[in-house]
């Protein structure tokens, strides 16, 4: 893992915003709180502490509201059960654990807040401060030591990106960023 | 030692007297009266509660109490429930199980909360404690159904197996098959947290059918509605029941079977489950409603009028958990129908939504506070609050023991006056003299903490987020709240001065959690040096604290008293600030 990023008290959340919602949503006022809290965006999305502030792509607009870790204080299994009045497909979150070989601790993310693989991978890259290579169907992820994998409902480990997105989010149980030869092994077989 | 005078009792008599003292606190008090009482008491203590598994070591417990039959252990801090404690933090139960395996072969009850328990640990439990009767794993993780299979296979005397809110790796539903056919002692089973698609239903049916003393059965979501009737008919003696998914196509045979099954459960008092509930099947429980003392609809997406109609039929309710679909109007009905209500929890159906999706405001809570004179415990999520409402609530309910208010926007002001909510919460602590637990939210200045320090003399647990302006806030609490045991704070702009000024207070408490506050590394180090009986644990994902300046704030801080010294099972992102910290790093 990279060395520690300096603690930036003046981090402008908007400038470093990473996708928390679907593209096309307009940003509304960010939750008012003291500066430090804005730096801790939810586990569900990318840790602002690890943001690549300069490379930030502004192609998708920032989310309506920055989620704060731990607020509101609702337990994960309740969050997963929540259904909105609006429509069923929007209801509930899909929280999965994300681990990276060699990283000290796991994160949890909500797969529902990403609209596709590029967003998800970018989020994971930012969360763990590394780069995933370029994906191709035949050769998996090239150009990096890491490959994002997931465990599906049947307990098999698959390469992220091999199945259509909708199928992925319903079958993914957990994510693991594999490193080294194990990663290459998966990446080469399709 | 002094020879016994004519006035002292023989040991056996004292032991007999002590056997009537069940409360740990009372026993602790008795044990410090004199050395002989200490000795007698420690030999006959059977039940022990360890509120923080790192406050004491298993060796020390075993050394003092040679014959324990019931143990309760708690691990991670409470904020772990909200993802504030990273995975791998700790709370492992294996060291305890390993040592107790040799020392307490007659252990009967194991209750764990927020601990990590592996299959290996469960297998060790199964192997070492042949007499285990109660196994409660509350918000635990680290194990799979394989571990449960080991318990099922070996624990012949198991009465209670409760996995509430635990994270279990579901490898196979067949663990239920491991209960031998001769096993009939089950009294309470809570598997509501299991996700597996194949909790072997036939095994469950057979198990339920052969356990005549089964009183409590909480199923998991995967059990379909059309299987419930059959199950209930095998256990009409149930007192507490949790359904699985409560949705199915409306079919008259399923409907009538269900209605009949519920009707035959003459002792049913508590209902829960109701995942995905559809209104069509609600009336099947009407026959039970008048007897219900506890109803948990917090997973049911039922809305008014169905929801209110259901509630209005439950006049005996003492405990109600529900989503905010109940709205103010439903709470008014609750207030007029349920005069025995003691506990109310209202959860948000759309906590991250921009706009309110339901009409639930402070008015609902005011109505319940006014209509339910026995109301003692409240957990309420809503989007607006006023000081006036809080004052009214406080005056209506001076008997509150637990009051937790969560405004979805954590720094929102009184919506009518745009003032901070200091006065409102001040009224709560002033009127509710028996308040033991309080959670604050909304726009709050140092003022509210002044009120808390002044009035909340029985307060044991305080949760604070996004509140206060200066160290005075924390100082008021630490210096004023005499009974404070647990303090958890997130995202507040204070720290150093108050902590250092009240360092001694921290030894009288179980623990203090502070995350995203203004506590500097230097202050943590100082505390670590000053207070050897406190473990000062700093958590930071960015790297070791020595790579930063003394004045830099720490990310997360967890301070707890301990007679066991710093722990050795810390993950790479946790550092202990003890006297050796500075030298350890050089």
């Amino acid at each position: 893992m990279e060395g520690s990023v300096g603690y930036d008290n003046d981090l402008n959340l908007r400038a470093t915003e990473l996708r928390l919602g679907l593209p096309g949503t307009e940003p509304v006022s960010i939750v008012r709180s003291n500066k430090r809290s804005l730096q801790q965006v939810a586990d569900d999305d990318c840790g602002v502490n690890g943001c690549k502030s300069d490379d930030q792509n502004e192609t998708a607009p920032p989310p309506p509201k920055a989620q704060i870790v731990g607020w509101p204080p609702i337990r994960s299994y309740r969050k997963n059960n929540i259904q909105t009045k609006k429509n069923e497909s929007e209801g509930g979150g899909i929280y999965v654990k994300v681990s990276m070989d060699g990283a000290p601790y796991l994160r949890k993310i909500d797969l529902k807040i990403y609209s596709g693989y590029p967003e998800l991978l970018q989020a994971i890259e930012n969360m763990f401060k590394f780069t995933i290579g370029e994906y191709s169907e035949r050769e998996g992820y090239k150009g990096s030591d890491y490959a994002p994998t997931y465990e599906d409902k049947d307990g098999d480990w698959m390469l992220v990106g091999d199945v259509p997105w909708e199928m992925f989010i319903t079958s993914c149980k957990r994510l693991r960023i594999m490193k080294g030869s194990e990663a290459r092994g998966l990446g080469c077989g399709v | 030692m002094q020879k016994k005078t004519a006035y002292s009792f023989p040991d056996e008599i004292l032991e007999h007297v002590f056997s009537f003292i069940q409360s740990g606190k009372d026993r602790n008090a008795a044990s410090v009266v004199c050395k002989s009482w200490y000795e007698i008491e420690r030999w006959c203590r059977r039940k022990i509660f360890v509120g923080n598994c790192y406050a004491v070591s298993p060796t020390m417990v075993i050394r003092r109490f040679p014959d324990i039959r019931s143990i309760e252990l708690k691990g991670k801090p409470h904020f772990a429930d909200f993802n504030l404690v990273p995975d791998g933090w700790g709370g492992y139960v294996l060291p305890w199980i390993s040592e107790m395996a040799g020392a307490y072969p007659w252990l009967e009850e194991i209750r764990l909360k927020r601990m990590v328990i592996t299959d290996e640990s469960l297998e060790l439990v199964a192997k070492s404690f042949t007499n285990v009767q109660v196994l409660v794993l509350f918000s635990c993780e680290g194990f799979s159904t394989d571990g449960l299979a080991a318990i099922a296979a070996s624990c012949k005397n198991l009465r209670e197996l409760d996995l509430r809110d635990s994270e279990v790796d579901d490898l196979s539903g067949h663990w239920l098959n491991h209960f031998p056919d001769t096993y009939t002692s089950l009294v309470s089973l809570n598997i509501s947290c299991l996700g597996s698609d194949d909790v072997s239903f036939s095994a469950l049916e057979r198990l339920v059918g052969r356990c005549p003393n089964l009183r409590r059965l909480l199923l998991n979501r995967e059990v379909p509605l059309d299987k419930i009737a059959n199950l209930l008919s095998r256990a009409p003696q149930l007192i507490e029941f949790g359904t699985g998914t409560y949705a199915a196509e409306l079919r008259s045979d399923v409907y009538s079977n269900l209605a009949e099954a519920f009707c035959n459960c003459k002792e049913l008092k508590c209902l829960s489950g109701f995942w995905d509930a559809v209104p069509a099947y609600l009336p099947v429980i009407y026959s039970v409603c008048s007897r219900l003392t506890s109803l948990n609809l917090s997973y049911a997406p039922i809305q008014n009028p169905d929801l209110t109609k259901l509630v209005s039929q439950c006049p005996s309710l003492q405990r109600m958990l529900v989503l905010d679909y109940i709205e103010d109007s439903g709470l008014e009905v609750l207030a007029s129908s349920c005069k025995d209500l003691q506990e109310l929890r209202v959860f948000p159906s759309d906590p991250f939504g921009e706009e309110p999706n339901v009409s639930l405001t402070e008015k609902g809570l005011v109505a319940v506070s006014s209509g339910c004179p026995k109301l003692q415990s409240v957990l309420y999520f809503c989007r607006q609050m006023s000081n006036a409402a809080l004052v009214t609530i406080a005056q209506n309910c001076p008997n509150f023991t637990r009051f937790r208010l969560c405004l979805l926007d954590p720094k929102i002001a009184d919506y009518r006056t745009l003032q901070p909510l200091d006065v409102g919460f001040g009224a709560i602590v002033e009127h509710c003299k028996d308040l033991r637990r309080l959670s604050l939210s909304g726009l709050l200045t140092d003022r509210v903490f002044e009120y808390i320090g002044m009035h909340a003399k029985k307060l044991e647990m305080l949760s604070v987020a996004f509140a206060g302006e200066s160290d005075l806030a924390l100082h008021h609490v630490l210096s004023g709240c005499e009974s404070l045991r647990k303090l958890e704070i997130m995202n507040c702009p204070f720290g150093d001065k108050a902590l250092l000024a009240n360092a001694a207070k921290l030894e009288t408490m179980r623990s203090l959690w502070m995350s995203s506050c203004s506590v500097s590394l230097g202050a943590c180090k100082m505390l670590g040096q000053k207070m050897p009986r406190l473990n000062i644990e700093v958590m930071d994902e960015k790297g070791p604290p020595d790579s930063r300046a003394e004045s830099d704030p720490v990310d997360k801080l967890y301070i707890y008293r301990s007679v066991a010294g710093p722990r050795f099972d810390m993950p790479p992102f946790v550092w202990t600030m003890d006297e050796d910290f500075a030298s350890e790093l050089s």
Side-chain angles (χ1 to χ4, degrees), chain A residues 4 7 33-34 36-37 40 65 69 71 73 75 77-78 81-83 85 97 105-107, chain B residues 86-87 139 165 167 221 298-299 303 325 349 354 407 491 516-517 541-542 553 555 573:
Chain A
S4 47
Y7 217 99
S33 50
N34 71 51
R36 187 160 304 106
S37 66
Q40 275 193 324
K65 199 172 199 172
V69 193
W71 199 269
R75 307 184 56 177
Y77 63 79
R78 280 199 184 279
N81 272 305
I82 278 162
Q83 288 179 25
K85 227 176 179 171
K97 289 186 181 177
Y105 58 86
L106 307 185
R107 309 295 291 261
Chain B
D87 271 23
S139 290
D165 301 347
E167 257 184 60
R221 193 178 189 166
S298 62
Y299 299 107
Q303 290 162 42
Y325 290 133
S349 53
E354 279 298 307
L407 293 165
N491 300 72
S516 305
C517 295
E541 64 172 309
K542 288 190 297 298
D555 187 17
F573 51 87

Short mmCIF file of all heavy atoms in Angstrom, two decimals, chain A residues 4 7 33-34 36-37 40 65 69 71 73 75 77-78 81-83 85 97 105-107, chain B residues 86-87 139 165 167 221 298-299 303 325 349 354 407 491 516-517 541-542 553 555 573:
data_model
loop_
_atom_site.label_atom_id
_atom_site.label_comp_id
_atom_site.label_asym_id
_atom_site.label_seq_id
_atom_site.Cartn_x
_atom_site.Cartn_y
_atom_site.Cartn_z
N SER A 4 1.20 6.89 3.80
CA SER A 4 0.01 7.59 4.28
C SER A 4 -0.18 8.91 3.56
O SER A 4 0.77 9.63 3.28
CB SER A 4 0.09 7.80 5.77
OG SER A 4 1.36 8.30 6.10
N TYR A 7 -2.96 14.57 6.01
CA TYR A 7 -4.27 14.92 6.50
C TYR A 7 -4.62 16.31 6.03
O TYR A 7 -3.99 17.27 6.42
CB TYR A 7 -4.23 14.89 8.04
CG TYR A 7 -5.49 14.36 8.64
CD1 TYR A 7 -5.59 13.05 9.08
CD2 TYR A 7 -6.59 15.18 8.79
CE1 TYR A 7 -6.73 12.57 9.65
CE2 TYR A 7 -7.73 14.72 9.36
CZ TYR A 7 -7.80 13.40 9.79
OH TYR A 7 -8.94 12.93 10.36
N SER A 33 -21.68 19.85 8.51
CA SER A 33 -21.04 19.29 9.70
C SER A 33 -19.66 19.89 9.78
O SER A 33 -19.24 20.55 8.86
CB SER A 33 -20.97 17.78 9.60
OG SER A 33 -20.43 17.42 8.35
N ASN A 34 -18.95 19.63 10.85
CA ASN A 34 -17.62 20.25 10.92
C ASN A 34 -16.71 19.61 9.89
O ASN A 34 -16.91 18.52 9.43
CB ASN A 34 -17.06 20.20 12.33
CG ASN A 34 -16.67 18.77 12.71
OD1 ASN A 34 -15.97 18.09 11.99
ND2 ASN A 34 -17.15 18.34 13.85
N ARG A 36 -13.96 18.09 9.58
CA ARG A 36 -13.37 16.76 9.59
C ARG A 36 -14.37 15.71 9.17
O ARG A 36 -14.07 14.79 8.48
CB ARG A 36 -12.79 16.43 10.95
CG ARG A 36 -12.02 15.11 10.92
CD ARG A 36 -11.05 14.96 12.06
NE ARG A 36 -10.12 16.05 12.09
CZ ARG A 36 -10.17 17.04 12.97
NH1 ARG A 36 -11.10 17.06 13.89
NH2 ARG A 36 -9.30 18.02 12.94
N SER A 37 -15.61 15.89 9.57
CA SER A 37 -16.58 14.85 9.26
C SER A 37 -16.77 14.71 7.76
O SER A 37 -17.02 13.64 7.27
CB SER A 37 -17.91 15.16 9.91
OG SER A 37 -18.45 16.33 9.32
N GLN A 40 -14.78 12.06 6.10
CA GLN A 40 -15.07 10.65 6.27
C GLN A 40 -16.36 10.33 5.57
O GLN A 40 -17.41 10.39 6.18
CB GLN A 40 -15.22 10.31 7.74
CG GLN A 40 -13.89 10.03 8.39
CD GLN A 40 -14.14 9.40 9.74
OE1 GLN A 40 -15.09 9.75 10.42
NE2 GLN A 40 -13.30 8.47 10.12
N LYS A 65 -26.25 13.83 -1.80
CA LYS A 65 -25.91 14.08 -0.40
C LYS A 65 -24.70 13.23 -0.03
O LYS A 65 -24.68 12.04 -0.30
CB LYS A 65 -27.10 13.67 0.45
CG LYS A 65 -27.13 14.25 1.83
CD LYS A 65 -28.46 13.93 2.50
CE LYS A 65 -28.72 14.85 3.66
NZ LYS A 65 -30.04 14.70 4.22
N VAL A 69 -20.10 8.39 7.57
CA VAL A 69 -19.97 7.10 8.23
C VAL A 69 -20.68 7.15 9.56
O VAL A 69 -20.49 8.07 10.34
CB VAL A 69 -18.50 6.76 8.50
CG1 VAL A 69 -18.37 5.29 8.89
CG2 VAL A 69 -17.65 7.05 7.29
N TRP A 71 -23.78 7.68 10.32
CA TRP A 71 -24.99 8.46 10.52
C TRP A 71 -25.93 8.32 9.34
O TRP A 71 -25.49 8.46 8.21
CB TRP A 71 -24.68 9.94 10.74
CG TRP A 71 -25.83 10.61 11.38
CD1 TRP A 71 -26.88 11.24 10.75
CD2 TRP A 71 -26.16 10.62 12.78
NE1 TRP A 71 -27.82 11.64 11.67
CE2 TRP A 71 -27.40 11.27 12.93
CE3 TRP A 71 -25.51 10.13 13.91
CZ2 TRP A 71 -27.98 11.46 14.17
CZ3 TRP A 71 -26.11 10.32 15.14
CH2 TRP A 71 -27.33 10.98 15.26
N PRO A 73 -27.46 6.40 12.65
CA PRO A 73 -26.97 5.18 13.29
C PRO A 73 -27.95 4.02 13.10
O PRO A 73 -28.80 3.74 13.93
CB PRO A 73 -26.86 5.57 14.77
CG PRO A 73 -27.82 6.69 14.95
CD PRO A 73 -27.91 7.40 13.65
N ARG A 75 -28.12 -0.10 11.83
CA ARG A 75 -27.28 -1.26 11.62
C ARG A 75 -27.39 -1.76 10.19
O ARG A 75 -28.42 -1.60 9.55
CB ARG A 75 -27.66 -2.32 12.62
CG ARG A 75 -27.62 -1.74 14.04
CD ARG A 75 -27.90 -2.73 15.06
NE ARG A 75 -26.96 -3.81 14.90
CZ ARG A 75 -26.91 -4.84 15.70
NH1 ARG A 75 -27.71 -4.90 16.73
NH2 ARG A 75 -26.05 -5.80 15.50
N TYR A 77 -27.83 -4.59 8.75
CA TYR A 77 -28.89 -5.48 8.29
C TYR A 77 -30.20 -4.73 8.13
O TYR A 77 -31.04 -5.09 7.33
CB TYR A 77 -29.06 -6.69 9.21
CG TYR A 77 -29.47 -6.36 10.62
CD1 TYR A 77 -30.79 -6.07 10.92
CD2 TYR A 77 -28.54 -6.33 11.64
CE1 TYR A 77 -31.17 -5.76 12.21
CE2 TYR A 77 -28.91 -6.03 12.93
CZ TYR A 77 -30.23 -5.74 13.22
OH TYR A 77 -30.58 -5.43 14.49
N ARG A 78 -30.35 -3.63 8.84
CA ARG A 78 -31.55 -2.80 8.63
C ARG A 78 -31.44 -2.04 7.33
O ARG A 78 -32.39 -1.91 6.58
CB ARG A 78 -31.74 -1.80 9.78
CG ARG A 78 -32.35 -2.42 10.97
CD ARG A 78 -32.97 -1.39 11.91
NE ARG A 78 -33.45 -2.09 13.08
CZ ARG A 78 -34.61 -2.75 13.13
NH1 ARG A 78 -35.41 -2.74 12.10
NH2 ARG A 78 -34.95 -3.40 14.21
N ASN A 81 -32.41 -4.00 4.52
CA ASN A 81 -33.83 -4.34 4.45
C ASN A 81 -34.71 -3.20 4.01
O ASN A 81 -35.88 -3.38 3.78
CB ASN A 81 -34.31 -4.79 5.83
CG ASN A 81 -34.10 -6.27 6.01
OD1 ASN A 81 -34.56 -7.04 5.20
ND2 ASN A 81 -33.40 -6.64 7.05
N ILE A 82 -34.11 -2.02 3.96
CA ILE A 82 -34.95 -0.85 3.72
C ILE A 82 -35.50 -0.84 2.31
O ILE A 82 -34.81 -1.06 1.34
CB ILE A 82 -34.13 0.43 3.98
CG1 ILE A 82 -34.12 0.69 5.48
CG2 ILE A 82 -34.73 1.61 3.28
CD1 ILE A 82 -33.05 1.62 5.91
N GLN A 83 -36.75 -0.54 2.20
CA GLN A 83 -37.35 -0.39 0.88
C GLN A 83 -38.00 0.98 0.81
O GLN A 83 -38.69 1.39 1.71
CB GLN A 83 -38.42 -1.45 0.67
CG GLN A 83 -37.81 -2.83 0.47
CD GLN A 83 -38.88 -3.85 0.28
OE1 GLN A 83 -39.97 -3.53 -0.16
NE2 GLN A 83 -38.58 -5.08 0.60
N LYS A 85 -40.55 3.86 -0.77
CA LYS A 85 -41.92 3.84 -1.29
C LYS A 85 -41.90 3.90 -2.81
O LYS A 85 -42.79 3.44 -3.47
CB LYS A 85 -42.63 5.10 -0.77
CG LYS A 85 -43.99 4.87 -0.21
CD LYS A 85 -44.50 6.20 0.35
CE LYS A 85 -45.89 6.08 0.94
NZ LYS A 85 -46.29 7.28 1.65
N LYS A 97 -18.73 -7.01 1.59
CA LYS A 97 -17.41 -6.70 2.13
C LYS A 97 -16.41 -6.65 0.98
O LYS A 97 -16.49 -7.45 0.05
CB LYS A 97 -16.99 -7.78 3.11
CG LYS A 97 -17.77 -7.74 4.41
CD LYS A 97 -17.21 -8.75 5.40
CE LYS A 97 -18.04 -8.70 6.67
NZ LYS A 97 -17.60 -9.68 7.64
N TYR A 105 -7.51 -3.51 6.58
CA TYR A 105 -8.86 -3.91 6.94
C TYR A 105 -9.88 -3.82 5.83
O TYR A 105 -9.67 -3.22 4.81
CB TYR A 105 -9.35 -3.21 8.22
CG TYR A 105 -9.37 -1.71 8.25
CD1 TYR A 105 -10.44 -1.00 7.79
CD2 TYR A 105 -8.34 -1.00 8.85
CE1 TYR A 105 -10.50 0.37 7.88
CE2 TYR A 105 -8.39 0.38 8.96
CZ TYR A 105 -9.47 1.05 8.48
OH TYR A 105 -9.52 2.41 8.59
N LEU A 106 -10.99 -4.49 6.08
CA LEU A 106 -12.04 -4.60 5.09
C LEU A 106 -12.88 -3.34 5.05
O LEU A 106 -12.98 -2.61 6.00
CB LEU A 106 -12.98 -5.76 5.42
CG LEU A 106 -12.39 -7.13 5.66
CD1 LEU A 106 -13.52 -8.12 5.85
CD2 LEU A 106 -11.54 -7.56 4.51
N ARG A 107 -13.50 -3.14 3.93
CA ARG A 107 -14.51 -2.10 3.84
C ARG A 107 -15.82 -2.76 3.44
O ARG A 107 -15.84 -3.89 2.98
CB ARG A 107 -14.11 -1.06 2.76
CG ARG A 107 -12.73 -0.53 2.89
CD ARG A 107 -12.53 0.28 4.14
NE ARG A 107 -13.24 1.53 4.12
CZ ARG A 107 -12.69 2.70 3.80
NH1 ARG A 107 -11.43 2.78 3.46
NH2 ARG A 107 -13.41 3.81 3.85
N PRO B 86 -13.40 -0.84 12.29
CA PRO B 86 -13.00 -1.65 11.13
C PRO B 86 -12.91 -3.14 11.47
O PRO B 86 -12.66 -3.51 12.62
CB PRO B 86 -11.61 -1.11 10.78
CG PRO B 86 -11.46 0.17 11.52
CD PRO B 86 -12.35 0.10 12.71
N ASP B 87 -13.10 -3.94 10.46
CA ASP B 87 -12.96 -5.40 10.63
C ASP B 87 -11.57 -5.74 11.11
O ASP B 87 -10.59 -5.17 10.68
CB ASP B 87 -13.17 -6.07 9.27
CG ASP B 87 -14.63 -6.38 9.05
OD1 ASP B 87 -15.48 -5.72 9.69
OD2 ASP B 87 -14.94 -7.27 8.24
N SER B 139 -25.06 -10.17 17.94
CA SER B 139 -24.20 -9.33 17.10
C SER B 139 -22.78 -9.86 17.00
O SER B 139 -21.83 -9.08 17.03
CB SER B 139 -24.10 -7.92 17.66
OG SER B 139 -25.30 -7.26 17.52
N ASP B 165 -28.94 -11.10 15.41
CA ASP B 165 -28.19 -10.07 14.71
C ASP B 165 -26.76 -10.46 14.39
O ASP B 165 -25.93 -9.59 14.13
CB ASP B 165 -28.15 -8.77 15.54
CG ASP B 165 -29.53 -8.24 15.82
OD1 ASP B 165 -30.50 -8.72 15.19
OD2 ASP B 165 -29.67 -7.36 16.68
N GLU B 167 -23.63 -12.21 12.22
CA GLU B 167 -23.29 -12.42 10.81
C GLU B 167 -22.74 -13.83 10.69
O GLU B 167 -21.65 -14.10 11.18
CB GLU B 167 -22.20 -11.44 10.40
CG GLU B 167 -22.69 -10.29 9.59
CD GLU B 167 -21.54 -9.40 9.14
OE1 GLU B 167 -20.65 -9.90 8.41
OE2 GLU B 167 -21.54 -8.24 9.55
N ARG B 221 -35.60 -15.10 7.28
CA ARG B 221 -36.40 -14.56 6.18
C ARG B 221 -36.74 -15.60 5.12
O ARG B 221 -37.77 -15.51 4.46
CB ARG B 221 -35.61 -13.42 5.56
CG ARG B 221 -36.40 -12.55 4.62
CD ARG B 221 -35.51 -11.45 4.12
NE ARG B 221 -36.27 -10.45 3.38
CZ ARG B 221 -35.79 -9.27 3.05
NH1 ARG B 221 -34.58 -8.93 3.41
NH2 ARG B 221 -36.53 -8.41 2.36
N SER B 298 -40.67 -3.88 12.38
CA SER B 298 -39.67 -2.97 11.82
C SER B 298 -39.05 -3.46 10.52
O SER B 298 -38.22 -2.78 9.94
CB SER B 298 -38.59 -2.66 12.85
OG SER B 298 -37.90 -3.85 13.20
N TYR B 299 -39.45 -4.65 10.08
CA TYR B 299 -39.01 -5.09 8.76
C TYR B 299 -40.18 -5.13 7.78
O TYR B 299 -40.04 -5.58 6.65
CB TYR B 299 -38.38 -6.48 8.85
CG TYR B 299 -37.17 -6.50 9.73
CD1 TYR B 299 -37.22 -7.09 10.98
CD2 TYR B 299 -35.99 -5.90 9.32
CE1 TYR B 299 -36.10 -7.07 11.81
CE2 TYR B 299 -34.88 -5.88 10.14
CZ TYR B 299 -34.95 -6.47 11.38
OH TYR B 299 -33.86 -6.45 12.19
N GLN B 303 -48.01 -0.10 5.26
CA GLN B 303 -48.31 1.31 5.49
C GLN B 303 -49.72 1.50 6.00
O GLN B 303 -50.48 0.54 6.10
CB GLN B 303 -48.09 2.07 4.19
CG GLN B 303 -46.59 2.11 3.88
CD GLN B 303 -46.31 2.45 2.45
OE1 GLN B 303 -46.96 3.33 1.89
NE2 GLN B 303 -45.36 1.77 1.84
N TYR B 325 -43.45 4.30 8.60
CA TYR B 325 -44.70 4.23 7.83
C TYR B 325 -45.89 4.43 8.75
O TYR B 325 -46.99 4.73 8.28
CB TYR B 325 -44.83 2.88 7.13
CG TYR B 325 -43.86 2.66 6.00
CD1 TYR B 325 -43.15 1.48 5.89
CD2 TYR B 325 -43.66 3.64 5.02
CE1 TYR B 325 -42.26 1.26 4.85
CE2 TYR B 325 -42.77 3.43 3.98
CZ TYR B 325 -42.08 2.24 3.89
OH TYR B 325 -41.19 2.02 2.88
N SER B 349 -37.74 4.44 7.17
CA SER B 349 -37.88 3.59 5.99
C SER B 349 -36.99 4.06 4.85
O SER B 349 -36.65 3.29 3.96
CB SER B 349 -39.34 3.57 5.53
OG SER B 349 -39.78 4.91 5.36
N GLU B 354 -33.65 12.30 0.26
CA GLU B 354 -33.54 13.76 0.38
C GLU B 354 -34.75 14.35 1.08
O GLU B 354 -34.65 15.18 1.96
CB GLU B 354 -33.45 14.38 -1.03
CG GLU B 354 -32.08 14.32 -1.62
CD GLU B 354 -31.10 15.10 -0.79
OE1 GLU B 354 -31.35 16.29 -0.51
OE2 GLU B 354 -30.09 14.52 -0.38
N LEU B 407 -32.16 12.49 14.68
CA LEU B 407 -32.63 13.33 13.59
C LEU B 407 -31.79 12.99 12.37
O LEU B 407 -30.57 12.99 12.42
CB LEU B 407 -32.49 14.80 13.99
CG LEU B 407 -33.44 15.14 15.13
CD1 LEU B 407 -33.09 16.46 15.79
CD2 LEU B 407 -34.87 15.20 14.61
N ASN B 491 -17.59 12.95 15.63
CA ASN B 491 -17.66 14.22 14.91
C ASN B 491 -18.00 15.42 15.77
O ASN B 491 -18.90 16.19 15.45
CB ASN B 491 -18.68 14.10 13.77
CG ASN B 491 -18.30 13.00 12.80
OD1 ASN B 491 -18.42 11.82 13.12
ND2 ASN B 491 -17.85 13.37 11.63
N SER B 516 -13.38 11.06 14.88
CA SER B 516 -13.50 12.31 14.13
C SER B 516 -13.72 13.50 15.04
O SER B 516 -14.52 14.39 14.73
CB SER B 516 -14.65 12.23 13.12
OG SER B 516 -14.48 11.13 12.28
N CYS B 517 -13.04 13.51 16.15
CA CYS B 517 -13.10 14.65 17.07
C CYS B 517 -11.76 15.39 17.02
O CYS B 517 -10.99 15.18 16.10
CB CYS B 517 -13.42 14.18 18.49
SG CYS B 517 -15.06 13.43 18.61
N GLU B 541 -6.28 4.51 9.87
CA GLU B 541 -5.98 3.71 8.70
C GLU B 541 -4.87 4.29 7.86
O GLU B 541 -4.37 3.66 6.95
CB GLU B 541 -7.24 3.53 7.84
CG GLU B 541 -7.78 4.82 7.27
CD GLU B 541 -8.91 4.58 6.27
OE1 GLU B 541 -8.73 3.78 5.36
OE2 GLU B 541 -9.95 5.24 6.41
N LYS B 542 -4.48 5.53 8.19
CA LYS B 542 -3.49 6.17 7.33
C LYS B 542 -2.06 5.77 7.66
O LYS B 542 -1.14 6.09 6.95
CB LYS B 542 -3.64 7.68 7.41
CG LYS B 542 -4.90 8.16 6.72
CD LYS B 542 -4.95 9.66 6.58
CE LYS B 542 -4.98 10.37 7.91
NZ LYS B 542 -6.18 10.03 8.69
N PRO B 553 -4.81 15.51 14.88
CA PRO B 553 -5.89 14.78 15.53
C PRO B 553 -5.87 13.31 15.15
O PRO B 553 -5.50 12.97 14.02
CB PRO B 553 -7.15 15.45 14.98
CG PRO B 553 -6.74 16.08 13.72
CD PRO B 553 -5.28 16.31 13.74
N ASP B 555 -7.73 9.74 14.34
CA ASP B 555 -8.95 9.39 13.64
C ASP B 555 -9.99 8.83 14.62
O ASP B 555 -11.09 9.33 14.73
CB ASP B 555 -8.57 8.37 12.56
CG ASP B 555 -9.72 8.06 11.63
OD1 ASP B 555 -10.69 8.84 11.59
OD2 ASP B 555 -9.66 7.03 10.94
N PHE B 573 -3.81 -1.53 12.44
CA PHE B 573 -4.23 -0.14 12.43
C PHE B 573 -4.61 0.38 13.81
O PHE B 573 -5.20 1.46 13.94
CB PHE B 573 -5.41 0.05 11.46
CG PHE B 573 -6.53 -0.93 11.70
CD1 PHE B 573 -7.53 -0.65 12.62
CD2 PHE B 573 -6.59 -2.12 11.00
CE1 PHE B 573 -8.56 -1.54 12.84
CE2 PHE B 573 -7.61 -3.03 11.22
CZ PHE B 573 -8.60 -2.73 12.14
#
